[in-house]
Amino acid sequence: MIEKNGDSIPHVLSVAGSDSGAGAGIQADLKACAARGVYCSTVITAVTAQNTLGVQGVHDVPEDFVAQQLKSVLSDMQVDVVKTGVLPSIRVVKVLLQSLAEFPVRAALVVDPVMVSTSGDVLAGSSILSSFREELFPMADIVTPNIKEASALLGGIHLETVADMCNAAKLLHALGPRKVLKVERLRVILQVIGEAWDVFQNVLVKGGDLPDSLDAVDIFFNGERFYELRLSRIKTRNTHGTGCTLASCIAAELAKGSPMLTSVKVAKRYVETALEYSKEILIGNGSQRPFDHSLRLKSGFHRKEVFNPSDLFLYAVTDSGMNKKWGRSMVDAVGAAIQGGATIVQLREKDAETQDFLETAKACLAVCRSYGVPLLINDRIDVALASDADGVHVGQSDMPASAARTLLGPEKIIGVSCKTIEQAQQAWISGADYIGSGGVYSTNTKANNPTIGLDGLKTVCLASKLPVVAIGGINASNAGSVMKMEVPNLKGVAVVSALFDRENVLTETKKLHDLLMEHHHRKSNEIHARQLSGK
């Protein structure tokens, strides 16, 4: 992995062709990985002249220069996942396999067997098919053909139904998952990752072109079980590069350490979200237009897509019982907390009927959006989806973060309550954005829960690859002690009673916010002074 200030950054290497229109190929891979928070390096195998009308020209990069690019990247950088796109010749396939034998990657090889562009232009000839089947596929951890590519790879069989796709996935898997995996490469991989290696190759047959289907149906097969993955089919011309993007997203999630099926589901939901958002964007005059990977080009789109860890600074967790005690509505309480300086709000409602909770969530969301403050829903993913809240916070006994990510998609915020190192590490693997660690101190809202104290909080923070907010019994008298700890990923404190079990939420929130800001400035000055002194 790439080292930056001591942190390991997930790294995908894309070996593919360049698209001058930037909708597919290397350009799509770069944008998709960036959107998923993963570094992407590139090896270009072909250069195309293309736009939304089609491919006007293809120039294959000489094999020796492909080899030189591979050596440059793999000899210097620790790559977690290699993702392939257009491999225009048998010799390029051999060059890639030789490079991977010399410089093994940490996690996986994702093969997207691109042979024809979205517009129907041939990018790799039929002569490459045998090389794919006999040499590349057996080394892959997952192959991701669409139905046209799957048909070509299997000798032209017709794929017109979901049952046909299942049969194709099984036949592709039977081509020999890892049968040619060299013993030495296996030894090196096991040594690097320190665990048993999954011997199953995985196959994802993409059904975007499946005739007469109202849904976008993909079939995932891991050698033991078929999974039928369905999402709504988005009606749009802006579909250029969806295959490249899906494969790159899978690679990105695998580079983060996510399981294979989770990676596939997250990638599929990401593509659906991007297509829905981009369906009316106008780029080019042709029928195969690109879509927006970053969800930022469309004017008037105000949702906050990228989670900012600094939002955890003053994390307000509501309590309906406390608000009733003081005779105020949840909406009024949320508005007062935000005006006082709350930087993120978690809506917690344990007793209300679902319909009432949903209406409250929508009303609170309107307030939060007007101030640009994220609103999360505690536990209830159904309410988060129905209200279009910015995300959810789940506990250890709730729906796993990986399942929540599959349902909510890549643009929503997911937080997980963690008390232990193991829970914190699992939250990162499962695709969470942050963790809430505690209870640091005892609390009236969860009186029977054991506390972890400041030492336990520090232990979890040091083990976590995610930003952390401290939770449990925190108030104006002890928040300073929490934030004094020298752990850079501790970003803030989550507070319940100290805000909402008070007569004036605005005053109490402002008081706590000012205290935290005073501590933040003092800490920044101390760090600056140490830097100047060279200590």
Side-chain angles (χ1 to χ4, degrees):
M1 293 184 182
I2 296 173
E3 296 294 326
K4 180 179 179 182
N5 298 328
D7 295 329
S8 296
I9 299 175
H11 184 167
V12 170
L13 167 60
S14 173
V15 184
S18 170
D19 172 4
S20 58
I26 286 287
Q27 287 82 353
D29 297 342
L30 285 167
K31 288 185 280 188
C33 286
R36 301 307 304 141
V38 171
Y39 186 84
C40 182
S41 55
T42 62
V43 167
I44 298 176
T45 60
V47 180
T48 68
Q50 64 177 298
N51 52 27
T52 62
L53 299 170
V55 178
Q56 291 79 46
V58 180
H59 175 72
D60 295 345
V61 174
E63 295 116 26
D64 59 348
F65 194 68
V66 172
Q68 191 173 345
Q69 293 177 76
L70 282 163
K71 185 174 182 180
S72 292
V73 176
L74 293 172
S75 65
D76 175 52
M77 303 175 178
Q78 182 58 66
V79 172
D80 297 296
V81 178
V82 169
K83 177 263 176 188
T84 70
V86 172
L87 302 175
S89 68
I90 294 174
R91 181 60 190 152
V92 166
V93 174
K94 292 184 182 297
V95 163
L96 173 62
L97 294 177
Q98 289 167 0
S99 298
L100 292 179
E102 184 177 357
F103 303 104
V105 298
R106 283 181 182 267
L109 173 61
V110 176
V111 174
D112 189 24
V114 179
M115 291 173 282
V116 180
S117 71
T118 308
S119 58
D121 297 278
V122 176
L123 300 175
S126 58
S127 61
I128 199 73
L129 294 178
S130 61
S131 187
F132 278 166
R133 289 189 296 254
E134 296 168 14
E135 297 184 83
L136 189 59
F137 283 11
M139 297 293 287
D141 296 87
I142 183 170
V143 295
T144 62
N146 60 34
I147 57 175
K148 293 179 181 177
E149 291 159 348
S151 174
L153 289 161
L154 296 170
I157 66 173
H158 292 290
L159 302 178
E160 298 179 347
T161 66
V162 172
D164 292 339
M165 292 171 65
C166 290
N167 183 52
K170 189 172 183 179
L171 291 172
L172 288 169
H173 184 274
L175 290 176
R178 297 197 171 275
K179 285 181 181 176
V180 298
L181 186 66
K182 293 183 179 179
V183 173
E184 179 60 20
R185 179 171 182 261
L186 179 59
R187 183 191 65 78
V188 172
I189 290 172
L190 289 173
Q191 201 172 47
V192 169
I193 67 175
E195 60 183 40
W197 188 256
D198 183 359
V199 299
F200 289 114
Q201 180 195 50
N202 302 275
V203 179
L204 180 70
V205 178
K206 299 174 293 190
D209 296 322
L210 191 68
D212 303 322
S213 175
L214 297 177
D215 295 328
V217 184
D218 298 337
I219 296 298
F220 176 80
F221 181 55
N222 62 5
E224 296 180 329
R225 180 179 171 186
F226 293 98
Y227 295 84
E228 184 177 313
L229 308 177
R230 285 182 178 267
L231 286 176
S232 301
R233 183 181 292 277
I234 309 300
K235 294 182 179 180
T236 176
R237 291 183 178 183
N238 300 341
T239 59
H240 185 43
T242 49
C244 302
T245 298
L246 184 68
S248 295
C249 279
I250 293 170
E253 296 306 313
L254 291 173
K256 295 177 185 177
S258 297
M260 183 64 73
L261 181 56
T262 298
S263 298
V264 171
K265 289 182 177 180
V266 169
K268 183 171 174 64
R269 184 59 187 266
Y270 168 78
V271 172
E272 185 211 32
T273 301
L275 286 173
E276 172 64 33
Y277 164 75
S278 308
K279 63 184 179 182
E280 296 177 356
I281 288 177
L282 298 177
I283 300 175
N285 300 308
S287 61
Q288 297 293 341
R289 298 192 293 249
F291 60 96
D292 178 16
H293 293 74
S294 60
L295 311 185
R296 280 178 173 76
L297 297 180
K298 188 175 178 182
S299 62
F301 189 74
H302 301 298
R303 179 186 295 161
K304 191 171 186 178
E305 285 85 29
V306 178
F307 171 63
N308 186 349
S310 64
D311 287 340
L312 300 175
F313 184 68
L314 180 47
Y315 188 127
V317 183
T318 68
D319 186 286
S320 56
M322 294 175 187
N323 288 322
K324 288 177 182 177
K325 170 184 173 182
W326 292 100
R328 56 179 172 250
S329 70
M330 186 74 80
V331 176
D332 289 340
V334 167
I338 293 174
Q339 291 177 53
T343 52
I344 192 168
V345 175
Q346 181 191 136
L347 202 62
R348 187 172 65 178
E349 181 59 85
K350 299 292 186 181
D351 301 320
E353 297 291 334
T354 297
Q355 182 62 39
D356 294 337
F357 190 12
L358 177 58
E359 293 303 319
T360 298
K362 289 180 178 179
C364 290
L365 184 62
V367 174
C368 289
R369 291 271 165 86
S370 68
Y371 287 93
V373 171
L375 177 73
L376 309 183
I377 305 298
N378 179 257
D379 298 347
R380 296 290 300 273
I381 294 174
D382 57 335
V383 174
L385 278 167
S387 66
D388 194 32
D390 295 294
V392 296
H393 185 91
V394 295
Q396 291 297 318
S397 60
D398 299 319
M399 180 181 289
S402 58
R405 177 63 71 201
T406 299
L407 291 170
L408 292 175
E411 79 278 12
K412 299 295 187 179
I413 301 168
I414 295 178
V416 181
S417 297
C418 299
K419 288 180 177 290
T420 67
I421 293 173
E422 294 75 20
Q423 290 171 353
Q425 291 172 340
Q426 185 58 49
W428 182 77
I429 291 171
S430 299
D433 294 293
Y434 74 92
I435 65 171
S437 187
V440 179
Y441 305 106
S442 60
T443 170
N444 293 332
T445 56
K446 294 186 178 182
N448 297 324
N449 279 11
T451 59
I452 62 173
L454 292 177
D455 289 341
L457 174 63
K458 186 172 184 178
T459 298
V460 172
C461 287
L462 291 174
S464 176
K465 296 182 180 181
L466 295 172
V468 181
V469 59
I471 59 177
I474 297 172
N475 53 47
S477 67
N478 57 32
S481 299
V482 173
M483 296 306 296
K484 281 181 183 177
M485 291 195 301
E486 296 293 330
V487 281
N489 62 335
L490 180 60
K491 300 300 182 182
V493 296
V495 184
V496 188
S497 302
L499 302 186
F500 297 107
D501 198 14
R502 300 290 188 274
E503 183 175 4
N504 194 316
V505 175
L506 173 61
T507 300
E508 296 300 327
T509 309
K510 189 176 186 306
K511 185 189 304 181
L512 184 55
H513 181 270
D514 291 346
L515 185 153
L516 292 172
M517 286 300 299
E518 180 182 347
H519 171 76
H520 174 72
H521 291 316
R522 186 186 306 119
K523 191 173 183 179
S524 297
N525 291 336
E526 290 173 355
I527 293 173
H528 182 61
R530 286 201 297 268
Q531 290 173 339
L532 290 176
S533 65
K535 294 182 179 180

